[in-house]
Amino acid sequence: MKTSEFIVRRILLLIPVMVGVTVFTFMIAQIIPSNPAAILCGERCGLVDPVTGKTMLELQIERLGLDKPVTEQFVIYLENLLAGDWGESTSYNRPTSEVVRDAAPVTLEMTLFALLIAYPVGITLGILSAVKQDQTFDHISRFLAISFVSLPIFWLAMMLQLYLGTGTDVGGICDSIFGTEGGCLPIYGRHDAALTYPDRTSALCDTAISGIACYPSWYPSGGSGFHLFDSWFVTDEALASIHPDYASNSLLFNDTLSHLILPSLTLGIASAGSLLRYMRASLLEVMNEDYVRTARAKGLRESRVIIVHACRNALIPILTILGFSIGGAIGGAVLTESIFAFYGMGNVAVDAIINLDYSVLMGVTLITAVIFLLSNLIVDILYGVVDPRVRLE
Amino acid sequence: MTIQSPEPNDTDVASGDEPLITIRNARKWFPIKGGMFSPVKAHVRAVDGVDMEIQRGETVGIVGESGCGKTTLGRLVMGLIPMTEGTITFDGDDIRDINPKELRRRLQIVFQDPGGSMNPRMSVRSIVGEPLIVNGLADGAELTRKVAELLSVVGLKPNHMNRFPHEFSGGQKQRIALARALSLDPDFILLDEPTSALDVSVQAQVLNLLDSIQKERGLTFIFITHSLNVVNHISDRVGVMYLGKIVEISETDELFANPAHPYTHALLSAIPQPSLDAEKTERIVLSGDVPSPANPPSGCSFHTRCPIAVKGKCDVDEPQLESLSEGHQVACHFPVEFGGSLPIHTE
Amino acid sequence: MTWQDGEEERAESRRRLSERLYQTRFDLARTWKIYRRSLLALIGLFMVVSVCTIAIFAPVIAVEHPGRDIQDTRDVWTIDYEPQRKEPFSEECDMREQKVSLTELRRWDENGTLALSPTRIAEDSSFYQETLVVTEYRDLVDRQGYPLPLELLYLDPSNHSFFWISDELMENNSINQITITYMFDNEEMHHWWLPDGYDVCIFGTNEEGQDMFSKILYGSQVSLKIGFTVATLTVIIGTIIGSISGYFGGRVDEVIMRITDIFFAVPGLILALAFVAALQAVDDFTLPLWFALLVPIGLLAVFVRSHIDETLLPKSIASDSPSDSSYAFVRTILLFGTIFVFLVLGPWEYVFEIGESRTWRLAATILALCFIGFILVVDRHFIDMIPTKGIGTRAKDALDWRNPYRYLTFRTIIIFIAAATVFSWSGNDEGSITVIENFDRLWKIQIALVFTGWPGYARLIRGQVLYVKEMTFVEAARSVGAPSGRIMFRHILPNAWAPLLVAFTLDIGGTILSASGLSFIGLGAEPGAAEWGKLVSDGRAFFPMDKWLVFYPGMAILVTTLGFNLLGDGLRDVVDPKNRR
């Protein structure tokens, strides 16, 4: 099977799953006890439109198509979805697609950065653990790995905030070790509070309805939403308008980075735990293979046997976990975001549930599914490239 | 659906010369799927047109390399897998028309791997008694009695029945498997390489046991194996299979004395000869691998490895089974003459 | 027929039971032999056993009851006097500030006052206070909080619960109210299992003066309950769906696997969030009567059918098993269709309308049984052409009470339970069955977690079934004519459950984590409830200053989850075929 055919086939396989997810989210939205039309017209629901002679509520219902049969509503929803219209958020008074578009990069940035921390740590410890099998180091790192996956993520986040983000008076350890003042890392927000300014056009800033603290982007407009990326490429004019204290890219970048470390570390620790276990198991399995024994018999140095012969092959199955760990990290992000005040998809989803804003809830569910499926697709393709045996199946 | 007469008496029906099992042009092609969107790509021709007759009370050995379809043929006879083409009749009835439970009762099977063919979580009593239970023939104390009886028939102690399979040796396990096969008092038992997982010393014991039970109960056996020694020991007749086809079938003694097909020659020459003064036979080493059953060669399927293949004949025409002498059939364009040796050019 | 006639059968039955026990003991001994090799696994086992013990004995170990119902703890626990937000092991846990109104004392012309406990609620819901034994008199302030000289008050030397107020204070009309701060011997909050001196608030107290230690102890009950309930329900649902998928394969398998794909595409927590939202308006979990009865009636039908096949039909007549017959499927549909119609429209509804009378319910159940039996016999007679002659004597044999093999079978027990269920449910005059009466938020997250969790099990068990299905002993069973049900329950599942056990153990830990996460977000337990995630979330308001409010509940989650994960990891080693022998 050619690589291109393999890729096309994988993409085609995604379509039914995506349709399934859409049906699924639509069904859940149908059960949610909420009347979006009533929320949208608010106090004016009872007013009668002089032209048509209908009340505002009736007009809203008509506009949203809620009077149509469910199947028809679904077809309309699907058509709108494909046309880029994801419905209207009742709590943000903005199109859902915009809300999701603003929230998704926040979560993604955090997740990717978390995996960037988790993979090197998990794999290195996994290799060491496997090499020192059944020695003290192995026992300790296995125990740590299991502890990492058992940690309640929200609690871990708060403990990290306490120990790394506060001064000695509260209980932080940074001050005595590094000589910092009030902890070494900022404990919430995506950037310095000085950079925050009210931006009515920004994502999640309709406090009147949602009750969410207005926490807009420091980046005026046009950014990708990935602040680490944006702050690196921000222009001088844009910088000048943000804050006089931040004169150069690097200051902004450092600020963004320092805000990203704690949330990502929180997410990364849990992933590192499971990675360690997978890497250990995978390497131990490979070490029993004949080709590793052959390599040893050839008289190669043990380090070379492990690095060149064993690890390479042991890493291939680890690749498959990448896709799943992205999914897991997004799930964990729901909790992490609420603690670090990151207005990403997790927070948006929770708010959507509290406000019964089903359009946003569907949007978030869909976009997480898309992200998960796409990352798995990429992993699959990579896997096919790295391990030619897969394509034959 | 037919109504079977209650408790058909085997010995009464057993009279007459008609064979117990007749296989006519049996084929079993397994489809190879091309994936989710493409339909069936090709077929593995595991059994590709077999004709055979098995008389009552005889033991027919089927030999061949692994992958030649001998196990699939056995499953077809048992009715465990549906046939692609052809007919198999048992006692005059097409096995597809026989009530499945009735069929299971009269045809039994002993598997190659004695350990694997027993549920590790069941006691010997449940294993041997299972056919009786599922057919509603015995239960409770009656079952225990019958199982004890069966165990003593195969040379085990009745108090073994409370043990579990992992407590037995390979030979003992195979005896238990045999007891299970005998429990329904069948007419026919398919022995699918019952001894190949056993030590040679144990093999002999099991073979002798099989022999004595067959004589005692008038059973019919098909004995599938890849070991010619075993076949020589137990079979009345032997069929040689290659790539889903029977290439030669004959009385055992006749086959060993006068092999006609080059493949049979090759197999026989591979048997180590223990005696010193035995005639030094030229060892025929077949070149190449067995061709893929998904894409069998044209003409005679053996021509790719045959030392005496003739171009233009063997790779074009497919030879049919033809009688060479009484009860000796071979599918070859150039069968080796009586007592002759294979005219090959040694490399 | 006498009892003695069945002695042989009963002895055999006893023998088989001991055989089964021997096998179980052997399995357990071997498991333990492998399990104890790993220190981590032993630690995990110890942790799990400890947490479970603590959960069971929480009312004994804790100092106060968290309230009658976990949901209204706030009412019982809101006590003004208790030391609020005090650190673990701080002395101040024993300290009380008591307000004394001097005007009232003057009115009654008394100059003594009692140290009193906060208002408590007695068993009969009346309020009461207890006198406290003062150990140390600390501080005295007036209404505005200005300190007064301590000498203005003194403890009665013979009665340490009684303060004497000096005349100077009594006559000073500018001071109307004073607040006394004193330490007391806290019998109410003393742990009986601790020596004197280590009195209260091991983990500190929260903003309402509640003992965190006790709350966390009670929290273990909630968490373990959620863990076990969710994991058990998920395993059951996952096993049923997964084994159907694996055993039947083909199109059924394809559809089920595509559905699990959809579930896997959305991160579990987000899916659970959405589902909790969808359940928001549901107050109780009810099913229409006819729908609820489908399951027991279906079981009755299946098992009565096999019962009839095995006992009522002449032994020599072999009937084909359902999977082998080409139109068995159509027949099954017809059969269940008839039962369904019977349930929804037929005399069923009419009978139940008559009322709750036990006689009627019994009659209805027997009617249902007879109906099922009747259509099954008719079905066998006309379609399989099996003679019904002599069915009476065989039925008499089938009901032989002396033979344990007639009534001690799985099948008979299922028939009995199903019939009893039908009997007890049928008296329901509302036309619906309440499955979960108090469908509170905890139930909602449990249902949401079950809903998101089953696909994992379904895939796991499907893989196992596919693996075991290919083993020779399954083919051997099939070759002697064992029916699908027997192959599934006797051969495949007993050999496929081992990885399931591991997943189950790990899942209890995972569920506790997820549930506490959902509570933390505010979707789980009610405010004030003794649920660990909720405790952490409640403590957040005072974080990071009062860190113990967050630290200890989180530790409790960590320890419990870690225990189950270590246990599961140890079991994985046991189950691993490489470690057999």
Side-chain angles (χ1 to χ4, degrees):
Chain A
M1 197 185 295
K2 279 195 241 82
T3 314
S4 58
E5 195 190 330
F6 173 73
I7 292 172
V8 168
R9 180 164 291 182
R10 300 293 321 185
I11 292 172
L12 285 178
L13 275 175
L14 284 187
I15 295 172
V17 178
M18 264 332 288
V19 172
V21 171
T22 318
V23 175
F24 197 66
T25 46
F26 187 79
M27 266 158 56
I28 284 184
Q30 290 298 312
I31 315 171
I32 292 180
S34 158
N35 186 352
I39 297 173
L40 279 176
C41 62
E43 289 169 359
R44 295 172 294 124
C45 279
L47 297 180
V48 179
D49 185 57
V51 184
T52 52
K54 291 172 179 166
T55 61
M56 295 300 276
L57 184 66
E58 283 166 350
L59 285 175
Q60 281 288 0
I61 288 175
E62 241 170 66
R63 195 174 69 82
L64 295 173
L66 294 178
D67 50 347
K68 298 192 176 98
V70 182
T71 44
E72 206 180 322
Q73 279 188 48
F74 178 69
V75 173
I76 294 171
Y77 175 74
L78 212 57
E79 280 170 2
N80 289 343
L81 212 57
L82 292 174
D85 175 11
W86 292 40
E88 202 158 315
S89 155
T90 52
S91 57
Y92 298 111
N93 280 334
R94 301 177 62 210
T96 301
S97 53
E98 277 182 35
V99 175
V100 172
R101 193 232 157 275
D102 284 339
V106 183
T107 311
L108 270 182
E109 189 178 37
M110 187 162 85
T111 311
L112 291 177
F113 202 67
L115 294 182
L116 214 61
I117 295 173
Y119 263 73
V121 174
I123 287 173
T124 318
L125 286 179
I127 292 172
L128 288 177
S129 193
V131 171
K132 297 177 189 290
Q133 194 193 355
D134 289 332
Q135 295 172 17
T136 321
F137 178 85
D138 181 31
H139 290 311
I140 292 173
S141 67
R142 273 178 75 197
F143 183 75
L144 278 182
I146 299 177
S147 310
F148 285 171
V149 291
S150 314
L151 279 167
I153 203 161
F154 51 93
W155 181 77
L156 174 68
M158 290 166 86
M159 289 299 120
L160 287 177
Q161 281 183 334
L162 174 65
Y163 290 113
L164 299 180
T166 61
T168 317
D169 51 328
V170 183
I173 53 168
C174 262
D175 292 6
S176 51
I177 300 174
F178 303 109
T180 51
E181 239 174 81
C184 21
L185 291 165
I187 58 171
Y188 61 85
R190 293 183 75 189
H191 40 75
D192 194 341
L195 288 170
T196 318
Y197 64 99
D199 175 5
R200 303 305 303 175
T201 63
S202 174
L204 314 156
C205 206
D206 202 85
T207 24
I209 294 169
S210 63
I212 305 160
C214 181
Y215 205 85
S217 162
W218 52 268
Y219 200 78
S221 61
S224 65
F226 294 88
H227 283 192
L228 215 52
F229 183 81
D230 288 349
S231 66
W232 193 252
F233 292 105
V234 72
T235 58
D236 288 341
E237 302 90 78
L239 260 181
S241 72
I242 294 167
H243 200 275
D245 285 353
Y246 287 83
S248 74
N249 282 2
S250 59
L251 277 177
L252 250 184
F253 183 78
N254 289 347
D255 180 61
T256 317
L257 185 66
S258 67
H259 279 84
L260 198 55
I261 288 177
L262 277 189
S264 304
L265 194 63
T266 311
L267 274 182
I269 281 180
S271 303
S274 54
L275 265 175
L276 194 161
R277 293 165 81 183
Y278 279 118
M279 186 66 208
R280 180 180 179 275
S282 170
L283 189 58
L284 282 180
E285 200 164 292
V286 169
M287 299 272 261
N288 282 332
E289 296 282 341
D290 287 342
Y291 57 81
V292 173
R293 219 173 296 151
T294 316
R296 282 213 180 106
K298 278 194 292 187
L300 292 183
R301 258 181 298 124
E302 186 66 18
S303 58
R304 197 178 154 75
V305 171
I306 289 165
I307 293 167
V308 177
H309 291 265
C311 281
R312 252 198 206 169
N313 291 294
L315 276 171
I316 293 176
I318 297 298
L319 195 61
T320 39
I321 308 165
L322 181 68
F324 280 95
S325 42
I326 288 177
I330 290 178
V334 175
L335 298 163
T336 322
E337 280 171 8
S338 84
I339 291 168
F340 291 101
F342 269 49
Y343 280 91
M345 286 188 291
N347 257 336
V348 167
V350 173
D351 289 334
I353 285 164
I354 291 164
N355 299 315
L356 293 181
D357 186 351
Y358 76 75
S359 158
V360 170
L361 191 64
M362 284 161 83
V364 171
T365 317
L366 274 182
I367 202 79
T368 46
V370 169
I371 292 170
F372 178 79
L373 290 174
L374 283 183
S375 51
N376 270 314
L377 174 72
I378 295 167
V379 165
D380 271 359
I381 292 169
L382 280 180
Y383 200 55
V385 172
V386 178
D387 190 349
R389 281 174 298 179
V390 177
R391 270 175 286 161
L392 295 175
E393 282 166 20
Chain B
M1 257 156 249
T2 53
I3 307 168
Q4 299 300 318
S5 58
E7 296 281 358
N9 199 328
D10 309 326
T11 42
D12 281 358
V13 192
S15 55
D17 285 345
E18 70 178 88
L20 182 70
I21 296 174
T22 317
I23 305 171
R24 286 278 166 264
N25 193 27
R27 282 176 210 276
K28 178 67 193 178
W29 292 6
F30 291 105
I32 307 172
K33 279 194 183 150
M36 203 165 171
F37 301 107
S38 49
V40 175
K41 262 209 286 198
H43 288 94
V44 172
R45 303 177 178 191
V47 173
D48 199 14
V50 167
D51 288 279
M52 236 171 129
E53 279 173 3
I54 291 144
Q55 303 298 332
R56 280 168 214 282
E58 76 169 342
T59 302
V60 177
I62 293 179
V63 286
E65 288 167 283
S66 41
C68 70
K70 52 190 195 299
T71 298
T72 310
L73 179 64
R75 300 288 193 279
L76 285 179
V77 172
M78 289 291 297
L80 284 174
I81 48 177
M83 226 177 327
T84 314
E85 214 186 296
T87 49
I88 294 176
T89 54
F90 179 80
D91 211 0
D93 297 320
D94 192 319
I95 56 164
R96 279 168 295 199
D97 294 339
I98 302 177
N99 189 313
K101 278 210 168 174
E102 175 69 18
L103 191 69
R104 298 279 175 275
R105 211 183 65 62
R106 296 181 64 187
L107 279 72
Q108 284 293 318
I109 181 167
V110 173
F111 293 90
Q112 172 180 3
D113 173 16
S117 70
M118 284 169 219
N119 188 338
R121 313 198 67 82
M122 279 163 92
S123 65
V124 169
R125 177 185 183 278
S126 312
I127 291 169
V128 176
E130 179 161 43
L132 297 167
I133 296 171
V134 297
N135 288 293
L137 297 177
D139 212 342
E142 195 190 344
L143 182 72
T144 308
R145 255 197 315 278
K146 285 199 172 171
V147 170
E149 214 174 274
L150 285 164
L151 285 179
S152 52
V153 167
V154 296
L156 291 171
K157 295 194 190 84
N159 62 6
H160 282 153
M161 77 168 81
N162 290 325
R163 298 204 189 155
F164 288 84
H166 63 85
E167 297 174 61
F168 293 95
S169 69
Q172 284 172 313
K173 279 182 201 167
Q174 207 54 290
R175 283 167 195 266
I176 296 168
L178 189 59
R180 168 170 62 187
L182 291 173
S183 63
L184 289 179
D185 202 9
D187 305 334
F188 166 80
I189 297 182
L190 174 75
L191 301 155
D192 186 0
E193 306 201 32
T195 57
S196 56
L198 305 176
D199 291 342
V200 180
S201 59
V202 184
Q203 274 187 14
Q205 291 173 20
V206 172
L207 290 176
N208 291 336
L209 176 69
L210 285 171
D211 211 32
S212 65
I213 287 174
Q214 183 181 30
K215 290 211 174 79
E216 217 167 275
R217 305 196 162 205
L219 286 164
T220 310
F221 285 162
I222 284 186
F223 197 101
I224 294 170
T225 183
H226 56 254
S227 158
L228 285 167
N229 279 333
V230 171
V231 164
N232 195 4
H233 185 96
I234 194 158
S235 303
D236 303 323
R237 285 196 301 144
V238 180
V240 180
M241 258 186 110
Y242 186 78
L243 271 192
K245 293 190 178 80
I246 298 271
V247 292
E248 185 168 8
I249 186 164
S250 157
E251 304 276 323
T252 310
D253 300 335
E254 162 78 7
L255 186 98
F256 276 76
N258 306 311
H261 198 280
Y263 181 61
T264 318
H265 261 278
L267 287 182
L268 289 178
S269 76
I271 303 177
Q273 299 291 337
S275 64
L276 284 171
D277 51 316
E279 241 179 279
K280 276 265 179 197
T281 45
E282 195 68 55
R283 176 115 200 260
I284 302 159
V285 182
L286 294 175
S287 57
D289 289 328
V290 184
S292 159
N295 186 19
S298 60
C300 173
S301 52
F302 187 59
H303 84 261
T304 52
R305 301 169 78 194
C306 183
I308 58 165
V310 174
K311 239 195 175 142
K313 175 76 177 167
C314 291
D315 56 350
V316 180
D317 281 355
E318 193 186 335
Q320 302 296 321
L321 268 185
E322 274 160 33
S323 269
L324 206 62
S325 59
E326 174 70 33
H328 189 161
Q329 289 173 297
V330 66
C332 183
H333 294 302
F334 306 101
V336 182
E337 290 300 314
F338 177 81
S341 64
L342 211 55
I344 47 160
H345 339 284
T346 44
E347 291 134 67
Chain C
M1 268 193 205
T2 62
W3 178 252
Q4 270 72 31
D5 294 343
E7 185 51 44
E8 196 187 359
E9 295 294 339
R10 284 194 297 277
E12 184 59 32
S13 168
R14 280 196 297 274
R15 246 198 320 278
R16 279 187 67 188
L17 197 65
S18 67
E19 181 188 302
R20 200 67 61 77
L21 281 177
Y22 166 78
Q23 168 73 357
T24 314
R25 225 171 51 212
F26 172 81
D27 282 354
L28 281 179
R30 200 196 55 194
T31 305
W32 176 242
K33 219 170 99 188
I34 301 170
Y35 188 84
R36 69 178 177 193
R37 283 186 213 155
S38 161
L39 178 69
L40 287 186
L42 286 178
I43 294 174
L45 183 66
F46 174 74
M47 284 160 87
V48 168
V49 170
S50 314
V51 172
C52 291
T53 319
I54 284 173
I56 293 167
F57 293 105
V60 184
I61 309 170
V63 284
E64 55 185 322
H65 195 277
R68 279 167 212 89
D69 183 353
I70 216 76
Q71 298 306 324
D72 56 34
T73 46
R74 191 168 276 268
D75 296 334
V76 185
W77 273 358
T78 306
I79 301 161
D80 293 338
Y81 290 123
E82 292 300 327
Q84 292 167 6
R85 297 206 276 128
K86 293 294 181 246
E87 280 182 43
F89 288 113
S90 72
E91 279 194 338
E92 295 165 13
C93 294
D94 275 357
M95 196 174 68
R96 258 196 63 215
E97 295 172 353
Q98 188 175 344
K99 292 188 181 78
V100 180
S101 164
L102 292 179
T103 30
E104 253 175 61
L105 290 176
R106 283 186 206 113
R107 190 180 308 146
W108 301 112
D109 201 17
E110 287 180 66
N111 56 350
T113 188
L114 275 174
L116 287 176
S117 74
T119 310
R120 297 190 181 282
I121 302 170
E123 291 282 306
D124 58 353
S125 302
S126 64
F127 296 96
Y128 71 98
Q129 287 185 306
E130 282 173 344
T131 54
L132 301 176
V133 180
V134 177
T135 54
E136 193 187 336
Y137 163 43
R138 276 265 179 106
D139 205 7
L140 183 68
V141 292
D142 68 2
R143 191 179 216 150
Q144 283 75 34
Y146 294 113
L148 299 170
L150 285 176
E151 296 79 40
L152 293 177
L153 232 66
Y154 54 93
L155 261 176
D156 189 325
S158 59
N159 179 0
H160 273 237
S161 300
F162 206 78
F163 282 106
W164 288 106
I165 298 165
S166 68
D167 293 343
E168 191 191 333
L169 194 58
M170 287 298 277
E171 283 155 18
N172 184 348
N173 277 338
S174 64
I175 298 170
N176 286 333
Q177 188 188 319
I178 51 168
T179 304
I180 324 165
T181 308
Y182 55 84
M183 310 286 294
F184 61 96
D185 189 9
N186 197 339
E187 275 303 319
E188 272 293 306
M189 289 179 72
H190 179 74
H191 293 286
W192 55 264
W193 42 273
L194 273 180
D196 284 345
Y198 294 88
D199 258 3
V200 285
C201 65
I202 295 173
F203 290 167
T205 59
N206 70 357
E207 78 278 10
E208 284 166 28
Q210 303 166 350
D211 183 28
M212 285 303 281
F213 182 69
S214 306
K215 270 203 133 172
I216 287 170
L217 287 187
Y218 280 103
S220 65
Q221 291 183 336
V222 181
S223 283
L224 287 183
K225 201 193 92 192
I226 294 178
F228 278 109
T229 320
V230 173
T232 312
L233 286 179
T234 332
V235 161
I236 293 173
I237 295 173
T239 307
I240 293 173
I241 296 178
S243 34
I244 289 173
S245 184
Y247 189 76
F248 292 105
R251 218 163 284 167
V252 180
D253 182 38
E254 193 67 23
V255 168
I256 291 176
M257 284 302 112
R258 292 294 80 78
I259 291 174
T260 62
D261 277 349
I262 294 169
F263 274 83
F264 278 114
V266 186
L269 204 59
I270 289 187
L271 198 61
L273 281 178
F275 200 66
V276 170
L279 286 174
Q280 233 156 27
V282 186
D283 292 329
D284 49 3
F285 195 61
T286 55
L287 289 175
L289 182 65
W290 62 267
F291 187 77
L293 283 174
L294 273 185
V295 178
I297 295 267
L299 276 177
L300 269 181
V302 170
F303 285 99
V304 167
R305 180 197 187 110
S306 63
H307 213 78
I308 286 176
D309 278 1
E310 286 198 15
T311 52
L312 295 193
L313 302 177
K315 272 188 186 173
S316 57
I317 296 285
S319 62
D320 50 343
S321 55
S323 59
D324 297 328
S325 167
S326 54
Y327 48 110
F329 184 68
V330 181
R331 218 165 64 187
T332 315
I333 298 259
L334 272 177
L335 178 69
F336 278 88
T338 323
I339 292 174
F340 181 76
V341 171
F342 176 74
L343 274 180
V344 182
L345 313 164
W348 196 250
E349 192 137 286
Y350 179 72
V351 168
F352 291 135
E353 289 299 311
I354 289 172
E356 291 192 4
S357 141
R358 188 167 296 174
T359 329
W360 274 109
R361 272 149 69 188
L362 201 60
T365 313
I366 291 170
L367 183 68
L369 266 170
C370 293
F371 175 71
I372 293 172
F374 174 73
I375 49 178
L376 284 169
V377 171
V378 168
D379 168 69
R380 280 286 187 252
H381 178 62
F382 283 106
I383 300 181
D384 290 348
M385 314 268 203
I386 290 163
T388 42
K389 219 178 98 194
I391 203 162
T393 46
R394 286 194 297 274
K396 217 179 89 196
D397 283 347
L399 296 173
D400 183 0
W401 53 277
R402 299 159 308 157
N403 183 351
Y405 288 96
R406 290 275 171 265
Y407 52 82
L408 275 183
T409 55
F410 181 64
R411 190 176 50 213
T412 337
I413 293 167
I414 290 286
I415 292 179
F416 181 77
I417 292 177
T421 317
V422 173
F423 172 62
S424 66
W425 280 358
S426 57
N428 191 307
D429 54 349
E430 286 174 15
S432 62
I433 295 293
T434 310
V435 183
I436 302 165
E437 203 166 325
N438 184 12
F439 198 62
D440 54 21
R441 289 163 77 171
L442 278 184
W443 264 116
K444 279 172 193 162
I445 58 170
Q446 290 185 65
I447 296 292
L449 289 173
V450 170
F451 179 71
T452 53
W454 68 265
Y457 283 102
R459 282 208 175 170
L460 179 76
I461 198 74
R462 170 183 175 266
Q464 275 300 111
V465 168
L466 283 182
Y467 169 68
V468 178
K469 207 173 98 177
E470 294 308 313
M471 289 185 171
T472 325
F473 64 79
V474 175
E475 200 186 359
R478 206 169 284 142
S479 74
V480 299
S484 304
R486 188 182 166 90
I487 290 178
M488 194 70 220
F489 287 106
R490 288 300 297 274
H491 294 280
I492 296 182
L493 283 183
N495 290 290
W497 63 269
L500 206 67
L501 180 73
V502 177
F504 177 75
T505 321
L506 294 176
D507 201 43
I508 294 177
T511 302
I512 291 174
L513 265 189
S514 312
S516 65
L518 284 171
S519 290
F520 179 79
I521 302 175
L523 292 173
E526 305 287 332
E531 205 277 338
W532 292 337
K534 192 67 202 163
L535 289 182
V536 174
S537 143
D538 289 345
R540 246 184 109 188
F542 309 98
F543 189 79
M545 298 313 290
D546 300 339
K547 43 190 168 290
W548 63 89
L549 293 181
V550 166
F551 181 78
Y552 292 107
M555 270 313 266
I557 303 174
L558 171 62
V559 167
T560 313
T561 316
L562 183 61
F564 280 105
N565 280 349
L566 287 173
L567 182 73
D569 223 44
L571 287 178
R572 196 205 305 274
D573 287 346
V574 174
V575 164
D576 191 346
K578 272 183 273 176
N579 285 337
R580 290 266 160 86
R581 292 231 146 213

